[in-house]
Amino acid sequence: EAAAEHVAAPTSPVGFGRTAKGGAAAAAAARSLSGGGDVEGATAGGDPAPGLTSHGSPSGMVVSSTRTRELREQLHEWRQRRRIQKPGEGSADIQELLELLDHGQEQLDKEVEATGKLRTHLECLMSGYQDRVVRYQCDVEAAQDRLLDYNREHKELKAVQERASDELKLQREAAELQLEGLQRDQRRFEAEEARSKNDLATVTSEREGCAARLR
């Protein structure tokens, strides 16, 4: 009955439920064992046998390799006792239970292996994703640092440009003032030169007149 419960468990992780043939055989074998007294643990007084519900159907049990090994040992012992106690009866139902156990354990092993591979794959994906996140975060931080450096450099260059522009403006204004002063001086010098030339011509003319009268 424990083997029937283990094999036909509808809530097991591997998901192998009772088939029309295997579940019926397992339940029938469990009921026959509980009524015949072949297996230890059968109850008296109308209570359900261990591994069975009150309706006589197998109850849920978690499938594991340890439990499968224990049930295989119990089934082999059961077959040996049947051969001794009831030599005329066959052991096809026991063999079917053994095959169901093997099939269920094989499914469990495959699903455990698939689960392990999936977990490893997910861990690799998560690790790769986290590595990319860290790398991208480092790249973003480095780009932000470069941007801050560029901003500081831009401010410094802008301040230098503003100072140079102000200095150039002052020098242009000073140059314009110097040019205006130079032009005024040039005009004054030209006027004075013209007056001096006129004065020189007058003096020369008077001199020549005086020299002519003296002769």
Side-chain angles (χ1 to χ4, degrees):
E1 60 202 35
E5 174 185 358
H6 185 66
V7 172
T11 58
S12 65
V14 295
F16 62 94
R18 285 178 294 173
T19 60
K21 180 179 179 182
R31 285 194 295 272
S32 66
L33 287 177
S34 63
D38 276 347
V39 178
E40 296 180 0
T43 59
D47 295 332
L52 298 178
T53 64
S54 58
H55 300 288
S57 60
S59 62
M61 177 178 291
V62 176
V63 179
S64 65
S65 58
T66 303
R67 184 58 179 165
T68 300
R69 184 171 57 255
E70 293 175 354
L71 292 177
R72 286 183 61 84
E73 294 174 357
Q74 293 178 8
L75 287 173
H76 285 299
E77 293 176 358
W78 176 24
R79 184 163 57 184
Q80 292 297 329
R81 286 197 302 270
R82 176 181 287 185
R83 288 175 180 175
I84 295 174
Q85 296 174 1
K86 300 176 182 180
E89 292 187 4
S91 59
D93 54 349
I94 299 176
Q95 183 62 33
E96 184 176 359
L97 287 174
L98 289 172
E99 292 175 357
L100 289 173
L101 280 175
D102 293 338
H103 179 67
Q105 187 61 43
E106 182 180 359
Q107 281 187 331
L108 175 63
D109 295 338
K110 289 181 179 179
E111 293 191 6
V112 168
E113 182 180 0
T115 302
K117 291 181 178 179
L118 179 60
R119 182 182 295 108
T120 302
H121 180 64
L122 292 177
E123 289 176 354
C124 293
L125 290 178
M126 185 61 67
S127 177
Y129 171 75
Q130 291 175 350
D131 291 341
R132 287 194 301 273
V133 167
V134 172
R135 185 170 62 254
Y136 294 156
Q137 185 175 2
C138 292
D139 294 342
V140 169
E141 292 176 355
Q144 290 177 345
D145 293 338
R146 288 195 300 271
L147 181 59
L148 293 175
D149 293 338
Y150 293 155
N151 288 333
R152 286 193 295 268
E153 185 177 359
H154 177 264
K155 291 179 180 179
E156 293 175 357
L157 294 176
K158 187 176 181 181
V160 171
Q161 181 185 7
E162 290 177 353
R163 289 195 300 269
S165 178
D166 293 338
E167 185 177 357
L168 179 60
K169 183 178 180 181
L170 294 175
Q171 291 178 357
R172 184 182 295 114
E173 291 176 355
E176 290 176 354
L177 292 174
Q178 292 291 333
L179 180 60
E180 290 178 357
L182 179 61
Q183 290 175 352
R184 285 195 304 268
D185 293 339
Q186 187 175 2
R187 287 192 297 269
R188 187 176 67 252
F189 294 153
E190 289 176 353
E192 291 177 355
E193 183 181 3
R195 287 194 302 269
S196 297
K197 286 181 179 180
N198 290 331
D199 293 341
L200 179 62
T202 302
V203 170
T204 302
S205 176
E206 290 178 355
R207 181 180 178 183
E208 289 177 353
C210 291
R213 286 193 297 270
L214 289 173
R215 284 196 297 269

